[in-house]
Amino acid sequence: MKHREIQFESAIEAALLSPEGGYQPGTAAFDARRGLFPDDVLGFIETDQPRTWAHLERILGPQLRPTLLDTLTHELAGKGALHVLRHGFKGFGETIRLAHFAPATGLNPETRAAYERNTVRVHRQVHYHPERPAQSVDLVLSLNGLPVVTLELKNPLTGQTAQDAIQQYRTERDPAAP
């Protein structure tokens, strides 16, 4: 039996999707122009912050989804994903959160419930470049629709090394791509 990279990818995915791994399968489409999984982002906000969502629906109507995604994309470009995950982003008089972190104690059940509303997903073969749709990353880990980790897998059984992955990121990845 040949050892192939796709089998390595499947094994990692299976481990992440196990009950111990805690991930869910990535099913949402990736928006390469915005650099996120819009259905997951919007689904998290709508479910996690229903009052904010209702307020934004009243203000923006049918333009809610594209306007919210554009606002988020602008904030990500200016402040970065880590800042947005930690602090949320502002739009239309609201602070919109995109993640909840693990509570330090179990004293507040609301904090624990908020943390449990997070969704972490593993996505395979994500086509990430808006102008080069054939380019893909082997695995992407996302939190509530925001990519937080990309993995370019290499198979040492076929002579590939970590250096090959590093070289691939350095020479074949456009750092300006979302």
Side-chain angles (χ1 to χ4, degrees), residues 18-178:
S18 73
E20 297 80 24
Y23 281 74
Q24 295 180 15
T27 56
F30 185 71
D31 182 336
R33 295 230 176 264
R34 290 186 171 111
L36 47 81
F37 298 91
D39 290 343
D40 285 349
V41 168
L42 296 170
F44 174 77
I45 295 168
E46 184 176 11
T47 302
D48 183 64
Q49 299 149 82
R51 286 188 196 131
T52 298
W53 187 265
H55 172 75
L56 294 174
E57 272 188 318
R58 283 191 299 280
I59 294 171
L60 299 170
Q63 292 303 309
L64 168 62
R65 291 173 180 272
T67 303
L68 195 55
L69 291 171
D70 288 345
T71 303
L72 170 58
T73 303
H74 182 265
E75 196 80 1
L76 288 167
K79 295 183 178 171
L82 186 58
H83 183 276
V84 171
L85 286 170
R86 284 184 176 161
H87 306 288
F89 67 102
K90 302 229 186 272
F92 312 97
E94 299 284 343
T95 296
I96 302 159
R97 300 209 43 95
L98 285 182
H100 298 286
F101 294 92
T105 71
L107 297 176
N108 185 341
E110 290 176 20
T111 304
R112 184 73 183 159
Y115 174 69
E116 290 174 358
R117 285 193 299 272
N118 288 322
T119 302
V120 290
R121 296 192 189 276
V122 56
H123 308 265
R124 291 179 67 170
Q125 295 300 317
V126 174
H127 296 271
Y128 68 90
H129 200 291
E131 279 88 41
R132 298 183 196 126
Q135 289 190 343
S136 66
V137 174
D138 292 335
L139 292 172
V140 173
L141 307 181
S142 69
L143 172 61
N144 302 324
L146 285 184
V148 291
V149 175
T150 64
L151 294 100
E152 191 57 53
L153 304 177
K154 298 301 170 200
N155 184 349
L157 297 174
T158 60
Q160 297 176 324
T161 67
Q163 278 306 118
D164 294 324
I166 292 168
Q167 189 64 18
Q168 188 171 358
Y169 270 99
R170 283 184 179 157
T171 62
E172 296 178 25
R173 303 288 186 250
D174 179 359

